[in-house]
Amino acid sequence: MAGTDEPSGVDQVFLSLERELAVFLRRARATSGELARAVHPELESAAYGLLVRLADAGRQRATDLAGYFGVGKATMSRQLRALEDLGLIAREPDPADGRAVLVRLTDEGHDRFSCVRNSRRAQYARQLASWDRREVAELARLLHRLNGEQDAEEGCGTPGKGERAGKGDGGGDGGNTGSAAND
């Protein structure tokens, strides 16, 4: 392949996949910041994924959230504190274990997040309006399969971790707890 930086023997199908995923992820990271600011002007883009998870899975322990996103307790604590300071989440005692605390969306957090999520879904519908619904379903199926295989390869034993792919709420991007692919 003269004139390219690609080594000979590179499978062009996988090279094309890699390029398209890179574009998708770059756009997803950029959009994540926009989504976060739409929820609250001071919300960090990395914390948007926490709102997705709490909206979909309900109340969670901070340690479970940290495990789900693959981040440390200190990172999770900092992000939860910021969300709490913005009035988007609240902490409450775990009725099953008085020593533990559960994190949940506040009414304001739920309302703000739902508004942004509904707007985002309407945007998807507009962008894919020319697609046949079977094509949209096939894209969702293939992304679900890709996410599931990545979870399996990573040895994800975290309960519910594979759920994200089926809901169109892919995981973070290398340590961040959120990306636009999350919603």
Side-chain angles (χ1 to χ4, degrees), residues 14 17 144-158 161-162 164:
F14 287 100
L17 173 64
H144 176 79
R145 180 177 172 189
L146 177 63
N147 287 328
E149 289 176 8
Q150 286 179 324
D151 284 349
E153 186 175 301
E154 293 169 5
C156 300
T158 305
K161 188 158 185 179
R164 64 183 182 203

Side-chain angles (χ1 to χ4, degrees), residues 15 30 59 74 87 92 104 128 130 146 149 161-162 167 176:
L15 181 61
R59 302 179 309 173
E92 57 190 34
R104 67 167 176 82
L128 300 175
S130 66
L146 177 63
E149 289 176 8
K161 188 158 185 179
K167 295 184 180 180
N176 283 341

Side-chain angles (χ1 to χ4, degrees), residues 20-51:
E20 294 305 320
L21 284 174
V23 169
F24 180 79
L25 292 172
R26 179 177 40 80
R27 287 181 176 154
R29 283 188 290 274
T31 302
S32 184
E34 295 169 15
L35 293 170
R37 285 185 298 281
V39 171
H40 193 286
E42 297 175 33
L43 183 64
E44 294 181 26
S45 62
Y48 182 80
L50 285 168
L51 300 179

Side-chain angles (χ1 to χ4, degrees), residues 97-119:
D97 181 353
R99 301 167 296 165
V101 174
L102 295 174
V103 178
R104 67 167 176 82
L105 289 177
T106 61
D107 289 343
E108 179 181 358
H110 182 270
D111 291 347
R112 285 175 174 255
F113 174 75
S114 293
C115 182
V116 170
R117 175 178 260 184
N118 291 339
S119 176

